[in-house]
């Protein structure tokens, strides 16, 4: 009898267990939604078509690298086109992005005019466009937004340093300006910001502006030409710089590459230019080192690391979210009055 009761109990436990397992399997399978083909498909990678103007300066090369790295970090497929400093190459590149049906187009406009047609084509193709680094003259409805530096403020910062440095001077202060790519927004903006401040004080006089195309080689050439006219009757090159017979008190250069080229020339001619005030823009490491060694007096930062913010904007646009029309990068100023020990490496 006992044996039989034991068997029945064992059997009922077994049945119970089986029932529990069946229930569990049922619950688990019920919760797992049926797998449909579409859901399994991996999410399509965003494709960004990026037209870069070239590699004219260390700043530009860092800018490209920042954008390339950030695309990889955000799993965005990027097609980068190098326009070798030619607008027509950029127009061709943007048109190829339209044909390729990329998700978003971003481009650095080498000059500020001449983009309306291609932007209209991109708009008609339903591809949003982000303008990067330099600004354009075009109907704002033709592009989604701008990401870059505030060139006007950079020019003001350079002028404020000069104004402060020369606050006790009453004589005329002559300025030799080295500008960059003609008709580029950045050159116009920096020139406007700089003049806005110095024009408030009549002692400041810009005696000449020379276009160095943001190139180190051009910076050197410009100084070579200046020094060639600096040889005095005794055949020695003086340590004071002159332009057209006028003494130069300040050299204001639109980027470090041209400034460093200018310093290369001074060095090769063993000219100290002692007392000349040097102001540059960008803040690559070699320029900061020149500041630390007293060859420069002020370096206004222009931040090339636009990659991470650009990818945020690209993702927002691709998700159909609005983006701010103007996004300016954080920037600062480095001067001879700073505590250099606090400086972080520039990374380029
Ligand atoms: O200052 C210079 C580069 O557009 C802000 O272009 C950029 C400028 C930068 O060649 O180094």
């Amino acid at each position: 009898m006992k044996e039989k009761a034991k068997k029945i109990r064992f059997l009922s436990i077994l049945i119970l267990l089986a029932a529990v397992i069946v229930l569990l399997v049922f619950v688990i399978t019920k919760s797992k939604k049926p797998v449909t083909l579409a859901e399994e498909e991996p999410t399509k990678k965003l494709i960004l078509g990026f037209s870069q103007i070239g590699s004219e300066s260390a700043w530009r090369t860092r800018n490209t690298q920042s954008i390339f790295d950030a695309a990889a970090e955000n799993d965005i497929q990027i097609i980068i086109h190098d326009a070798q400093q030619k607008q027509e190459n950029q127009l061709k590149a943007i048109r190829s992005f339209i044909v390729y049906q990329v998700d978003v187009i971003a481009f650095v406009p080498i000059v500020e005019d001449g983009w309306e047609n291609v932007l209209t084509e991109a708009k008609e193709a339903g591809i949003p466009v982000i303008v990067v680094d330099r600004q354009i003259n075009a109907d704002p409805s033709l592009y989604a937004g701008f990401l870059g530096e505030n060139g006007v403020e950079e020019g003001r910062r350079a002028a404020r340093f000069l104004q402060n440095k020369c606050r006790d001077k009453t004589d005329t202060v002559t300025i030799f300006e080295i500008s960059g790519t003609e008709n580029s927004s950045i050159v116009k903006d920096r020139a406007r910001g700089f003049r806005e401040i110095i024009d408030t004080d009549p002692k400041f006089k810009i005696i000449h502006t020379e276009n160095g195309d943001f190139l180190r080689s051009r910076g050197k050439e410009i100084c070579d030409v200046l020094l060639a006219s600096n040889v005095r009757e005794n055949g020695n090159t003086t340590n004071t710089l002159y332009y057209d017979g006028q003494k130069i008190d300040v050299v204001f250069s639109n980027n470090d590459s041209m400034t460093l080229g200018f310093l290369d020339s001074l060095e090769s001619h063993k000219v100290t230019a002692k007392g000349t005030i040097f102001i540059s823009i960008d803040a690559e490491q070699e320029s900061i080192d020149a500041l630390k060694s007293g060859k420069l007096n002020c370096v206004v930062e222009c931040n090339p690391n636009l990659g991470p913010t650009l990818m945020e904007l690209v993702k927002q646009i691709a998700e159909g979210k609005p983006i701010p029309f103007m996004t300016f990068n954080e920037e600062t100023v480095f001067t001879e009055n700073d505590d250099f020990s606090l400086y972080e490496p520039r990374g380029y």
Side-chain angles (χ1 to χ4, degrees):
M1 190 53 185
K2 256 198 180 165
E3 239 351 84
K4 206 161 168 225
K6 255 195 196 158
K7 260 204 191 120
I8 291 167
R9 199 178 317 117
F10 175 70
L11 267 178
S12 48
I13 290 169
L14 214 62
I15 291 163
L16 198 62
L17 213 61
V20 169
I21 290 168
V22 168
L23 193 64
L24 268 179
V25 170
F26 177 75
V27 169
I28 291 166
T29 45
K30 247 300 152 248
S31 64
K32 267 177 63 147
K33 292 207 293 3
V35 178
T36 59
L37 201 57
E39 273 165 356
E40 269 310 312
E41 249 171 64
T43 47
K44 189 175 96 39
K45 256 194 185 187
L46 278 180
I47 305 177
L48 169 65
F50 177 57
S51 167
Q52 178 61 288
I53 60 177
S55 49
E56 74 281 0
S57 62
W59 189 98
R60 182 69 49 205
T61 309
R62 175 64 211 149
N63 178 241
T64 305
Q65 194 60 47
S66 163
I67 290 167
F68 189 77
D69 294 349
E73 275 143 35
N74 288 273
D75 202 25
I76 291 173
Q77 184 188 340
I78 187 166
I79 309 169
I80 296 189
H81 180 273
D82 177 338
Q84 308 287 326
Q85 308 294 323
K86 294 195 173 60
Q87 182 177 28
E88 68 259 27
N89 291 343
Q90 293 202 273
L91 295 171
K92 273 197 214 117
I94 295 170
R95 289 194 167 103
S96 72
F97 296 151
I98 294 171
V99 172
Y100 191 84
Q101 280 287 303
V102 299
D103 298 295
V104 181
I105 292 172
F107 77 109
V108 176
I110 185 163
V111 290
E112 56 185 0
D113 297 314
W115 305 101
E116 297 251 347
N117 295 349
V118 78
L119 291 176
T120 306
E121 291 159 31
K123 187 163 184 159
E124 281 159 5
I127 303 175
V129 176
I130 302 175
V131 176
V132 176
D133 172 18
R134 296 178 185 175
Q135 301 191 41
I136 57 174
N137 288 332
D139 177 338
S141 70
L142 290 177
Y143 58 105
F146 165 79
L147 165 66
E149 61 285 330
N150 181 336
V152 178
E153 191 51 34
E154 290 173 356
R156 291 185 187 122
R157 289 182 177 140
R160 289 193 195 106
F161 167 81
L162 185 57
Q163 207 177 30
N164 183 47
K165 173 119 179 127
C166 302
R167 63 188 178 282
D168 304 330
K169 282 185 195 275
T170 49
D171 307 349
T172 299
V173 176
T174 58
I175 301 164
F176 183 91
E177 183 182 40
I178 308 176
S179 71
T181 308
E182 217 161 341
N183 300 323
S184 67
S185 68
I186 193 65
V187 163
K188 292 188 178 178
D189 289 350
R190 287 170 178 170
R192 185 151 55 88
F194 186 73
R195 284 161 179 71
E196 188 190 293
I197 304 282
I198 61 160
D199 289 354
T200 60
D201 186 333
K203 73 178 174 214
F204 293 116
K205 290 229 178 320
I206 297 176
I207 57 173
H208 183 66
T209 300
E210 185 78 28
N211 176 357
D213 256 326
F214 288 127
L215 297 168
R216 187 163 181 155
S217 55
R218 279 289 294 133
K220 184 174 183 312
E221 267 169 33
I222 290 168
C223 185
D224 289 347
V225 172
L226 270 183
L227 293 178
S229 64
N230 245 24
V231 176
R232 292 289 168 255
E233 36 299 325
N234 58 12
N236 295 334
T237 306
T238 70
N239 277 318
T240 306
L241 301 179
Y242 291 86
Y243 175 73
D244 210 13
Q246 285 185 84
K247 174 174 170 298
I248 295 174
D249 299 314
V250 181
V251 173
F252 169 47
S253 166
N254 258 258
N255 87 333
D256 287 342
S257 296
M258 297 186 294
T259 310
L260 294 167
F262 198 98
L263 295 183
D264 292 342
S265 170
L266 290 177
E267 215 151 295
S268 65
H269 289 87
K270 299 191 178 24
V271 170
T272 62
K274 208 155 183 20
T276 307
I277 299 167
F278 283 91
I279 303 173
S280 187
I281 302 182
D282 279 352
E284 62 179 271
Q285 191 59 51
E286 193 180 341
S287 167
I288 294 298
D289 296 342
L291 177 74
K292 290 179 182 176
S293 62
K295 292 184 188 144
L296 301 180
N297 305 83
C298 171
V299 181
V300 174
E301 180 184 25
C302 179
N303 187 339
N305 303 315
L306 300 174
T309 311
L310 177 61
M311 296 314 145
E312 285 314 310
L313 297 176
V314 167
K315 289 192 284 186
Q316 278 175 34
I317 285 182
E319 289 155 15
K321 292 185 188 137
I323 65 167
F325 192 68
M326 300 296 281
T327 305
F328 287 122
N329 226 357
E330 289 293 314
E331 295 179 337
T332 184
V333 183
F334 303 94
T335 83
E336 59 192 349
N337 311 317
D338 295 346
D339 173 354
F340 298 145
S341 68
L342 302 175
Y343 281 7
E344 304 277 330
R346 299 299 299 156
Y348 77 101

